[in-house]
Amino acid sequence: MKVLVTGSNGMLGIDLCALLELEGHTVIRTDLNIREGLAIPQWLPLDITDTDAVTAIIDTHKPDFVVHGAAATDVDGCERNPDMAYRVNGLGTWNIAAVCGARDIPLVYISTDFVFDGTKTVPYTEFDKTNPISHYGGSKLAGEKFVSELCHKRFIVRTAWLYGINGNSFPAKILELAKTRTELSVVTDEIGSPTHTLDLARTIILMIDSPLYGTYHVVNAGQCSRYELAKITLELAGVKSMKINTMCASQYSSPTKRPAYSVLRRYMLELQNRDNLPTWQAALQEFINLR
Ligand SMILES: NC(=O)c1ccc[n+]([C@@H]2O[C@H](COP(=O)([O-])OP(=O)(O)OC[C@H]3O[C@@H](n4cnc5c(N)ncnc54)[C@H](OP(=O)(O)O)[C@@H]3O)[C@@H](O)[C@H]2O)c1
């Protein structure tokens, strides 16, 4: 299959494109910028907010399938500049969805746990009500709505707390800080579903050629706080030189309100008997081994 990927030079995009090629697919990589220091195979520049450019690239390459991973992912940047967030995550996704819908090209849109408000105390299913409390979450939800309205053949894939070897993720930052610091305070009252980009990419690839369109939660199994994630990251990496202290989210300085509890349940995959994602601890170990 010929698969066009947006955001191909991002943390998820790099892993996804490499896996797609390993599986024998032809990949059209598209992104806004090159990432310094990374050797990325041939890719095409594409700004998803440019309607004509999106139409032209899809009509030129005629992909069998599109994975739309490009997004403005700096949550605080989106909070400070909501117009930018809605332009990239809303309008940009509208552009992709409109062309895929009109050409009947199946589309995977990567969305987020930030579409929920975090007031639940048990994991969110695909049937729970969305209610974003940040502009990042609101703009990604706008993207979901455009995809639902414009594309019949669509997968909306909500994921969370992503990390991968080609990105500046939370576990990567913890390991980096441990090189120079002896103590760090991390929040205990933010609970989520840490997810390895490789496991997400493996699940996305199963969607290619599948007719089971819909909204799916795709995260590693289990849940933890940021504090637990930091502690286990150091433990699995065998790092003993940095002590992790606890703090509350209210003590953490950020312009963005984050959901206090955004654990996702892979309910659609469970109902289909296809839920076999590894635990977050096993996935984290794989990430550490690959570093
Ligand atoms: N990271 C997480 O924890 C997380 C959690 C839930 C969902 N997600 C979703 O998962 C997807 C992948 O996330 P990621 O962490 O891999 O993000 P990432 O590393 O930031 O990759 C996103 C890519 O999109 C590009 N991009 C930004 N604006 C664009 C534009 N106007 N046109 C074309 N490309 C543009 C970025 O380029 P620049 O870097 O040059 O801006 C970047 O290469 C995103 O849709 C994100 O919303 C992420």
Side-chain angles (χ1 to χ4, degrees), residues 6-14 30-35 45-50 68-75 84 87-89 92 109-114 136 140 157-163 166-169 195 197 200 226:
T6 71
S8 64
N9 303 350
M11 184 168 69
L12 170 65
I14 293 175
T30 72
D31 209 315
L32 194 57
N33 293 307
I34 187 69
R35 293 259 311 278
L46 174 69
D47 181 347
I48 56 165
T49 67
D50 181 338
H68 174 36
T73 55
D74 171 4
V75 172
M84 177 279 294
R87 191 174 310 112
V88 177
N89 298 339
Y109 169 60
I110 313 298
S111 190
T112 170
D113 54 330
F114 272 52
Y136 171 70
K140 291 292 291 184
V157 173
R158 295 194 190 121
T159 191
W161 291 26
L162 278 185
Y163 58 85
N166 297 299
N168 193 18
S169 62
T195 303
T197 46
L200 175 58
R226 291 271 176 203

